[in-house]
Structure formats: C-alpha cells, structure tokens
Amino acid sequence: MSNVHVMDHPLIQHKMSYIRDKKTSTKDFRELVDEVGMLMVYEVTRNLQLEDVEVETPITTMTAKRLSGKKICLVPILRAGLGMQEGVHKLIPAARVGHIGLYRDPETLQAVEYYAKFPADIEDRDILVIDPMLATGASAVEAITAIKKRGANKIRFVCLIAAPEGVEALQKAHSDVDIYIAALDEKLDEKSYIIPGLGDAGDRLFGTR
Ligand code: URA
C-alpha cells in the first residue's frame, strides 16, 4: 500500500472520534470535517515546489520561499465532497475548483457522470480529488478517469475514511494516484456502507436523510 498515506496525527484522530459519533450535531459535524480537511492539506501538500523570493522585512532583506510550480485544482465529488473541500480550500485559497457528480446506475451498478465542470487549464494543474468516503471506490475511479480524460495527470485523492475494498479498487484502476486518508476502516457492509465508518457523509453534512 505504498501510495496510501494514513494521516493518524493525534489531532486528526481526536476530531475523527467526534465525526464518527452519531450524537454529533450537523453543525459540529460540518465544522469538524472542515477542520480535518485543513489538517490533511498540510501533509497532502508536503511536496509542493518552492522558489526563492527576495523579501524586505522591517529589519533587513532576506531570501524567503514561496510556492511555485503547477497550480492546484480541487475537485470535490458531489455532494459530500463539498463539505470537505471547504477546509482544504481555506489553506489553498488560490486553487481553482472543479466539480463532478456521479450516480450509480441501478442496473449496471456502474458510476455514471451526470455533471462535470472543470477549469479550462485543468491539464496544467495538480489535482486534489476530494470525497470523505472511499467505500467501493466506484465514484473515485470514475471521477479520476473523467479528470484524466480532460488531460490532467498529477492527481491525488483525499478522503476521511476508506474501506480496504475501495483502496484496492482505486489502486487497481489508478496506480499512479496517491491516496490520503484519515482512517482505514474494517470493511463494507452489504449496502456498501463503511464499517465502523460514520454513516452517510452527505446526510450528516447537510442534515438530510
Ligand atoms: N458513503 C457514505 O457516505 N458512507 C459510507 O459508509 C459509504 C459511502
């Protein structure tokens, strides 16, 4: 699992315990997902390129570092990805945001794209695909296939909780994609919910059922 990064920082684990708790309110759930998204960005962006810049401090001049290299595009998978994308965007505010929506065809059980909108220069950007749950992996695989079709080739996948089945499916389909997760859970149940998981991430983020 060399391209899988489990971010088990104590702060992330602490917040994840509340995110998983069914007693956590919608408001707190949204805030916590936002915060964990922010904490995860720290590690996800560890290898971004820097360049030297001359800066004048109130005391003297110095050579400091600023981000250079390829610009970033966030792609939340609708709808639960929206809730997690906000935290990520706070730390990378200049990132563009594409969106992709997929539904599961009841007959073929395949993920089918129903909405996609990306920045015109997507092929020149590093992509962070965001979805809190990596369950069967079908949506993630399809979303990344759709993004690659538009010319992007440096793609990372960021989620809160993954099932081993989802990780395996994503690795099989897109072995070049690094996967960043806050927790690797046990398995899927018969309805493809992650066990122990957190329930339905979209419903818990938006207070629906
Ligand atoms: N999507 C969710 O929101 N929860 C799961 O457990 C699996 C997929």
Side-chain angles (χ1 to χ4, degrees):
M1 284 206 178
S2 57
N3 65 340
V4 178
H5 311 265
V6 182
M7 276 174 263
D8 52 1
H9 186 284
L11 276 177
I12 293 182
Q13 291 195 54
H14 173 79
K15 289 177 192 294
M16 286 299 294
S17 80
Y18 288 100
I19 285 175
R20 289 179 186 278
D21 190 333
K22 69 178 187 183
K23 297 192 293 302
T24 298
S25 69
T26 302
K27 171 180 172 289
D28 289 347
F29 185 89
R30 214 171 35 241
E31 285 172 6
L32 287 158
V33 170
D34 190 77
E35 288 167 8
V36 172
M38 279 196 270
L39 290 167
M40 290 182 77
V41 173
Y42 190 73
E43 194 55 36
V44 173
T45 55
R46 176 172 290 282
N47 295 321
L48 291 187
Q49 272 179 38
L50 294 169
E51 64 185 0
D52 288 347
V53 289
E54 292 307 304
V55 171
E56 212 171 321
T57 78
I59 314 296
T60 183
T61 56
M62 66 167 289
T63 305
K65 303 277 184 193
R66 288 214 178 122
L67 290 173
S68 68
K70 282 169 80 178
K71 296 191 167 62
I72 292 178
C73 177
L74 312 179
V75 182
I77 299 179
L78 302 177
R79 107 190 120 126
L82 292 175
M84 193 172 175
Q85 170 250 316
E86 282 175 31
V88 176
H89 209 184
K90 275 183 196 149
L91 288 195
I92 324 174
R96 294 288 161 88
V97 184
H99 293 89
I100 186 158
L102 304 145
Y103 69 90
R104 194 207 288 224
D105 183 306
E107 275 167 22
T108 64
L109 302 181
Q110 295 298 309
V112 181
E113 181 183 308
Y114 68 83
Y115 182 80
K117 188 91 177 164
F118 300 113
D121 59 353
I122 187 168
E123 70 274 13
D124 297 327
R125 291 180 177 264
D126 280 352
I127 313 292
L128 304 186
V129 178
I130 301 167
D131 193 352
M133 308 301 275
L134 179 61
T136 63
S139 307
V141 167
E142 214 42 56
I144 292 168
T145 302
I147 292 164
K148 284 184 176 173
K149 270 193 203 143
R150 271 102 173 164
N153 54 27
K154 178 72 190 156
I155 301 171
R156 300 175 177 89
F157 183 81
V158 189
C159 73
L160 290 183
I161 302 181
E165 294 91 327
V167 172
E168 202 184 315
L170 186 48
Q171 284 180 318
K172 196 163 157 223
H174 298 292
S175 58
D176 56 315
V177 171
D178 277 309
I179 304 169
Y180 295 85
I181 59 188
L184 181 61
D185 274 10
E186 242 174 74
K187 58 179 180 180
L188 297 178
D189 71 7
E190 66 289 348
K191 290 187 178 153
S192 297
Y193 276 94
I194 298 177
I195 302 177
L198 52 70
D200 187 297
D203 284 347
R204 294 199 62 195
L205 277 163
F206 300 113
T208 50
R209 224 166 55 82

